Structure formats: structure tokens, C-alpha cells
Amino acid sequence: MHETISDASCKASKGRKVKYIKPTSFDCDARTFRFIEEKWAVSISTTGKRLTASIRASSYHRGKLKGQKPTSAKVCLHRDGNWYVHIQLKSEAPKTQKTSNVIGVDFGRRDIAVTSTGQSWSGKEIKETRDKFSRVRASLQRRASQGTRSTRRRARKILKRLSGRERRYQSWLNHNISKAIITEAKETQSFVSVEDLTGIRDRTNQKPRSKTERRRSNSWAFFQLRTFLEYKGIKEGVEVIAINPAYTSQSCHCCLHIGLRSNKSFKCSNVKCGWIGDADDNGSKMIALVGLSVNQPRGSELLACPIDSRATKSPHHIVRA
Ligand SMILES: [Zn+2]
């Protein structure tokens, strides 16, 4: 049996004997794991003997398992003290088609996500919900360290109950957002272009800001949202590409010139263009454009200002999204 060593137990200093290894999970393959459909049970070989346990699962999961022959699984120890078996199923992903339709998605602080097709998830309501979580947590933490013994105990108990609630809210919302985007992409036969956000924290943290502001900007799970988009994309045959976000929020989507961005609005500084509008809307359209240029078989075509070279045409013809 293979045991995963948890992080906490790896911290033993050099030379000292490790006291114990806390088992958290182990992987099973075709030899050590078997799914018995007739009995709705799994058979796992452990160090001692072979263990057979019946499956307690929802009808949704039973439907997924029906007729399958899974050959690998992971046995995990949950926080609640029970052991759970994660059964891995393989399925064929639909092939992605080359397409020139694109949906650009702008991740932001004011709005969680804005698409170039006009869908948006406003940050306001989300901000209020999360501020509430934060307020409750702060007050409980104060009580858990001060006050009488029984108050402290009660506060700790409530904190434990609430832990994970904000995280679950966040992933619930990320599931919703990614599902809506992928569904639209599938219906319109588009691919999805997102920003490669490695480093969004550095970018948004450049200016000195208050503690509350920092908490808000740092803690949205954009990485999770991108991961959800990518795996749902694979499932539905929608391609999701990540582009370099440099200048996407400062460039004008009509003429590619650098413009002025002030909080909510964007103003193009090119006198021939002069586009004015919503900054996030412009950002998502820029992301769509960059994605399109990256994803074309011919290679990049974002070379020069289309207004200068094709002055007679309307600048809006290049926005295909
Ligand atoms: Zn412009």
C-alpha cells in the first residue's frame, strides 16, 4: 500500500526521527482495486487483507458508474474521519473544431468576469456577501480569544461550522460562471480566450491600498475559475486558450492604440478613433482579439493599427466576437 506523507509530518528537522506518518490517501490500480457492479461494492486490497465495501452513492453517481470498468481509484481520509473512495472514470472528450468565433473573458476586481459577448457577473453582490463572511469571522475570532471560557468555546465551535462556507460559495459561483461561458461557446461554436493570470496579485497590489481592498482583490479564486473553464471546455469540446494579458486593458479594441483607462471607463487616445466606453467591455474584446490572432493557423495578425492601414473601412469590422 502506498501512503502519501502529509505536509505537516515532513517538517521534522534533520537527523531527528519522524514520529509518525499521518496517512491521508493512497492510490489503487487494477491490481489493488476492483469495482463489483453486481453487488455495488468496491474491493480494495490493504496491507492486511482484501476489503470489500458496499457503495453508498447518489443515483447520479450510480448512473455514471453503470456499465463502467474503472481500473483506478484513490482512497482518501476525509476531515470527518471517514474514508472515501474516489473512483476514476475515463471518457472520450469530444474533438475541438477550429473556429474563428471567439468569446473573450476579462477577469476583474470590480466585476468577476465580463465576456466580449456582453455577459457579466457583477462584483457588487458578491462583494457584499463576502464582506459579510469576513465581518462575522472577525467578530467570532475576537470572541474566541477574549471573553469568558464558555464564550470562547462557543465561538470556536461556530467558527468551525462556518469554515469552508465562503470557499464553497466561491466554487459554487465559479461553477456557474464557467458553465454559462462554456454553454454559450458551445452554442455559438466559439473558442474561449482568457487572460493568463499568473501574477494578477502583483499587478493589482502595486498601488498601496487599504487592508480591506487587499483582501477583496487577493482572495477571489480566478485560478479556480480558469481551471473550471478549462475542464468544462474539454468536456464539451470547447477550446480554452490563455493569452498574455499585457496591455489588454490599456489598448483600444478598435484601433489597438493605447488609451486612457480610468476605473470604469476607457477612452481611446487615437484621434482618428476616439472610442469611449466601458473599460471591462473593451478589455474582454481585446482579449478576444488577441486570442483570435494567437489561435489562427496563419499566426499573429495583430500588427498595426487597422485604421491607419485600412482607413476606408469601419474600424469595427475586426471585432468578430
Ligand atoms: Zn481606438
Side-chain angles (χ1 to χ4, degrees), residues 252-257 266 268-270 272-275 307:
C252 168
H253 73 274
C254 297
C255 67
L256 310 179
H257 278 256
F266 177 90
C268 181
S269 53
N270 181 6
K272 286 180 190 165
C273 168
W275 188 86
I307 295 182

Side-chain angles (χ1 to χ4, degrees), residues 287-313:
I287 292 162
L289 272 181
V290 177
L292 203 56
S293 81
V294 173
N295 208 24
Q296 289 305 300
R298 297 191 297 282
S300 177
E301 56 176 29
L302 281 184
L303 293 170
C305 170
I307 295 182
D308 285 340
S309 55
R310 286 170 267 181
T312 46
K313 284 183 193 164

Side-chain angles (χ1 to χ4, degrees), residues 79-96:
R79 291 208 305 196
D80 62 13
N82 291 317
W83 290 87
Y84 287 83
V85 183
H86 300 180
I87 302 171
Q88 286 141 13
L89 294 174
K90 288 193 185 86
S91 61
E92 285 292 314
K95 257 189 116 109
T96 55

Side-chain angles (χ1 to χ4, degrees), residues 52-294:
T52 309
S54 60
I55 294 174
R56 264 209 332 243
S58 62
S59 51
Y60 169 80
H61 289 109
R62 278 171 180 259
K64 290 264 171 202
L65 265 172
K66 208 167 179 155
Q68 296 274 354
K69 298 235 176 317
T71 53
S72 59
K74 192 173 185 179
V75 183
C76 296
L77 179 63
H78 193 258
R79 291 208 305 196
D80 62 13
N82 291 317
W83 290 87
Y84 287 83
V85 183
H86 300 180
I87 302 171
Q88 286 141 13
L89 294 174
K90 288 193 185 86
S91 61
E92 285 292 314
K95 257 189 116 109
T96 55
Q97 309 264 300
K98 273 281 164 211
T99 165
S100 58
N101 297 335
V102 58
I103 296 176
V105 184
D106 187 16
F107 300 139
R109 199 156 55 86
R110 198 162 45 80
D111 287 327
I112 296 296
V114 174
T115 70
S116 58
T117 50
Q119 288 199 80
S120 76
W121 288 268
S122 149
K124 196 166 167 269
E125 193 189 325
I126 297 156
K127 203 190 84 201
E128 278 160 17
T129 313
R130 305 188 65 217
D131 283 353
K132 201 180 93 200
F133 279 127
S134 163
R135 263 200 317 275
V136 171
R137 208 163 42 229
S139 113
L140 279 168
Q141 269 156 0
R142 210 165 38 241
R143 258 168 231 219
S145 60
Q146 297 161 6
T148 64
R149 209 168 135 193
S150 65
T151 331
R152 289 203 304 267
R153 194 169 48 218
R154 243 195 342 261
R156 275 200 305 273
K157 216 171 157 184
I158 300 170
L159 268 175
K160 196 168 181 190
R161 184 159 51 85
L162 291 185
S163 86
R165 193 178 277 191
E166 185 175 1
R167 193 171 40 77
R168 282 193 298 277
Y169 169 71
Q170 201 166 46
S171 62
W172 171 81
L173 197 70
N174 275 345
H175 271 301
N176 272 293
I177 296 172
S178 52
K179 191 178 176 187
I181 293 171
I182 294 296
T183 308
E184 192 193 346
K186 200 185 174 189
E187 278 165 5
T188 56
Q189 285 161 357
S190 312
F191 72 91
V192 177
S193 173
V194 298
E195 293 166 284
D196 185 354
L197 283 179
T198 344
I200 190 178
R201 286 171 199 208
D202 304 333
R203 260 192 309 139
T204 51
N205 279 339
Q206 270 164 8
K207 290 178 206 150
R209 282 174 295 109
S210 70
K211 199 175 160 190
T212 324
E213 274 288 286
R214 274 203 306 274
R215 175 179 56 71
R216 278 180 197 152
S217 69
N218 268 344
S219 44
W220 189 256
F222 289 112
F223 182 76
Q224 185 190 49
L225 180 54
R226 195 181 130 190
T227 315
F228 284 180
L229 272 172
E230 277 164 348
Y231 97 79
K232 284 187 212 293
I234 291 170
K235 223 168 83 182
E236 301 294 335
V238 171
E239 196 174 6
V240 177
I241 65 162
I243 57 130
N244 184 347
Y247 301 113
T248 47
S249 63
Q250 288 119 290
S251 307
C252 168
H253 73 274
C254 297
C255 67
L256 310 179
H257 278 256
I258 300 286
L260 284 172
R261 180 178 184 152
S262 63
N263 211 13
K264 272 184 182 180
S265 68
F266 177 90
K267 190 174 179 293
C268 181
S269 53
N270 181 6
V271 280
K272 286 180 190 165
C273 168
W275 188 86
I276 300 173
D278 184 74
D280 288 337
D281 184 38
N282 179 63
S284 62
K285 283 183 173 138
M286 255 328 277
I287 292 162
L289 272 181
V290 177
L292 203 56
S293 81
V294 173

